[in-house]
Amino acid sequence: MFSRDFLAGLMMLLVAGALFFDGRGLEFGTPEMMGPGFFPFLAAGGLALLSTILMVSGLAAGAPRLEPMGVRAPVMVILAGVAFAVLLDHVGALAATVAVVVLCALSIRDFRWKEVALVAIGMAALVGFLFVYFLQLPMAM
Amino acid sequence: MFDLLITNFSIGISAAFSPENLLLCFVGALLGTLIGVLPGIGSVATIAMLLPITFGLPPTSAMIMLAGIYYGAHYGGSTTAILVNLPGEASSVITCLDGYALARAGRAGEALALAAIGSFIAGCVTTFAIAFFGPALTVATQWLGAPDYFALMVLGLLAVIVLSRCSMLKALIMLMAGFLLSMVGTDLITAEPRMTFGLPELSDGISFVSMSMGLFGVSEIIANYAHGTEGRIITRKIERLLPSRKVMREALPSMLRGTGIGMFLGMLPGGGGVLSSFCSYAVEKKVSKHPEQFGRGAVAGVAGPEAANNAGAQASFIPLLSLGIPSNAVMALMGGALLIQGITPGPHVITSQPELFWGIVVSMWVGNVMLLIINLPLIGLWVKLLAVPYRVLAPMILVFCCIGAFSVHNSVFDVLLMMAFGVLGYLLIKLEYDPTPLLLAFILGPLIEENLRRALQLSDGSPAVFIESPISAVLLSLSVLLIVVALALDFRARRAAVAG
């Protein structure tokens, strides 16, 4: 397996690459008349260079390994965000709240259905009263 | 001089002491403690999560509420550190050492009171320091041109990198990533969209709130869920709250020394609470007659660093409000909050909006008082809250984060962006990156770009302009020196680690 620093460098190299790729059409310009691409290219180039150095240093023997990562928690949190976004637009704040509570609770192993149900109902009531009714945020009940 | 100071303070007092603002400061301190007391959530995460509730307010009220939130959050963090031995952030690590030892010896109440009283004394002294030094620095900035500003920001950012928790290389990577992310959105000169991936939602740039809530708030929830914080919680009855006179006599000199250390280090770019509390702990151990007590419940080991931390954090308002340079993550959040209110932090704030500047100065003191009078008596309640399991609290926090991110622009895109940054933040934690330089570079990115562009435009593209201006030349030489020294120390430490 790869070392922690190799993966850390790789991740930021991909970030630099993605942003550079999307901004590749921007005009670079000259130092006295900088184009919109001047800074993005410098920053992306700098990021890519530094990330590569980190990757190379991570190839050294005895570089620390990556500790085990949780997969369930990040996936569930992303799902909770997507569910919140979709349900808020198409159903309403109460459904979105319940979805976030349930999905967030599913990301831990020792969740208890009774507790989850109580928290979901309590939070839905609070959100409905405080944010939709009282503060009148622009969202449907 | 004193007349002026009194006039200025009266402006601040009339701004901060309106009934609404006092109430906001109170609510802020209460909410800050409520979130900050949760295990694993430090003051940066707390402020990031509570930012959206201040946006509907006028700027002065928003900053006053944020000051309250900050104090509450910090105090909540100390409470968790003392009672549960779980530091929410780097600056509470020191508090854990002797605070938890005191708590185990049945003196938790005293430790908490010492932390609060130490912070209060530091806050009172530092408020006056800000009132003195802030305006003086502002006057000095009148002579700064575009190259000097650029050099000043470079120095500030490098100082943050040198003091960052991760290696220099990783901190530089975070810095570059922050710059790059700050450029997403519409270019101010040509109005061309830059790196928006064709998403119209990104044309105003990446939402600062979504980014900071994700990187610092949601990432903590994920990390705590993935690795679990259960089972370490102790709840003890708090018996004695106020320290005896003898203990106070012992603690007072430490608090004053800590205040001095924090005030000095906080004013430097890159300084602030963390550095101050570490320094103060080292000093207290040096001057103590019983250094062997440190780590086993030394009173000075709690009182000194807590005072230093607060003085340092508060003094770092000086570079933010007078130079526009945030020197740590908390100040970056404060600066971001000001930007969202339409105010660019910088030297002009003090002249164009004196009621904002002086309102903040006074409200920092008010926030401190609020903390002392509401939080100390409520300690029993916070201890009970610590007993609520994380699996119940985390879904609630996540719901509030979602609604908070949504409410800034009433857009669900910001909620998705926050979650994406939350996962990124979790990866950064696992890969041992410190996201603080990223946040600072994100805030300072547009300013650096603008000043560099302006400087090179005036000099017809010649980089010599940075050496021709004496101020910029000095600042840039200092930056180079800082990097060289830090790299040398880094190298030596690594060689020692390999050899040892």
Side-chain angles (χ1 to χ4, degrees), chain A residues 4-5 7-9 11-12 16 18-19 22-23 26 31-36 39-40 43-44 46-47 50-51 53-54 66-70 73-74 77-78 80-82 84-85 88-89 97 100-101 104-105 107-108 110-112 115 119 123 126-127 131 137-139, chain B residues 169-170 172-174 176-177 179-181 183-184 187 190 192-198 218 221-222 225-227 230 389 391-392 394-396 398-400 402-403 406-407 410 412 415-416 419-420 423-424 426-428 430-433 448-449 452-453 456-457 460-461:
Chain A
R4 186 180 63 214
D5 281 359
L7 294 171
M11 180 171 94
M12 296 319 286
L19 286 164
D22 193 68
L26 295 170
E32 60 265 43
M33 278 306 291
M34 294 181 192
F39 279 94
L47 182 59
L50 294 168
S51 307
I53 297 176
L54 185 64
L66 189 66
E67 285 167 41
M69 294 258 273
V77 166
I78 284 276
V82 174
F84 183 86
L88 191 66
D89 269 357
T97 304
V100 170
V101 172
C104 184
S107 65
I108 39 165
D110 64 338
F111 75 95
R112 296 159 202 190
E115 263 177 19
V119 174
M123 284 308 285
L126 183 70
V127 167
F131 295 105
L137 288 186
M139 43 195 185
Chain B
L169 180 59
K170 281 182 161 171
L172 274 172
I173 290 177
M174 285 290 98
M176 281 294 166
F179 274 137
L180 202 53
L181 291 176
M183 291 162 200
V184 171
D187 179 35
T190 60
E192 233 180 296
R194 298 198 288 188
M195 303 179 288
T196 57
F197 294 92
V218 176
I221 297 179
I222 299 177
Y225 254 167
H227 307 289
E230 314 279 337
R391 60 172 193 277
V392 173
M396 298 185 186
L398 200 62
V399 169
F400 285 124
C402 286
I403 289 172
F406 171 82
S407 65
N410 296 324
V412 291
V415 179
L416 294 174
M419 293 303 183
V423 173
L424 179 71
Y426 175 63
L427 290 174
L428 294 181
K430 293 306 290 179
L431 295 168
E432 293 211 337
Y433 278 117
I448 289 199
E449 184 176 0
L452 184 59
R453 190 182 269 181
L456 286 179
Q457 223 165 23
D460 289 323

Side-chain angles (χ1 to χ4, degrees), chain B residues 218-296:
Chain B
V218 176
S219 66
E220 292 294 337
I221 297 179
I222 299 177
N224 287 330
Y225 254 167
H227 307 289
T229 52
E230 314 279 337
R232 285 195 269 177
I233 285 172
I234 55 151
T235 21
R236 249 171 209 286
K237 236 178 114 64
I238 305 272
E239 272 137 24
R240 183 193 178 107
L241 194 58
L242 284 180
S244 68
R245 232 180 235 184
K246 183 174 158 287
V247 171
M248 262 321 280
R249 242 199 319 266
E250 198 186 330
L252 197 61
S254 312
M255 291 174 181
L256 292 175
R257 275 192 293 269
T259 304
I261 292 169
M263 227 157 57
F264 176 70
L265 291 176
M267 279 188 245
L268 303 179
V274 185
L275 186 65
S276 309
S277 57
F278 276 77
C279 260
S280 162
Y281 193 78
V283 167
E284 289 310 320
K285 206 170 166 177
K286 268 260 156 61
V287 301
S288 168
K289 287 191 198 95
H290 305 285
E292 75 284 351
Q293 276 183 0
F294 278 74
R296 295 198 202 118

Side-chain angles (χ1 to χ4, degrees), chain B residues 70-79 82 91 95 110-127 248 251-252 254-256 258-260 263 273 277 302-315 364-372 375-376:
Chain B
Y70 168 71
Y71 283 114
H74 174 71
Y75 186 69
S78 309
T79 307
I82 289 170
S91 60
T95 312
E110 272 179 85
L112 287 166
L114 283 173
I117 295 168
S119 298
F120 176 72
I121 290 177
C124 292
V125 177
T126 316
T127 302
M248 262 321 280
L252 197 61
S254 312
M255 291 174 181
L256 292 175
T259 304
M263 227 157 57
S277 57
V302 176
E306 278 289 318
N309 186 19
N310 195 29
Q314 208 167 322
M364 281 191 266
W365 186 76
V366 176
N368 244 315
V369 177
M370 289 285 179
L371 195 75
L372 208 60
N375 282 9
L376 274 184

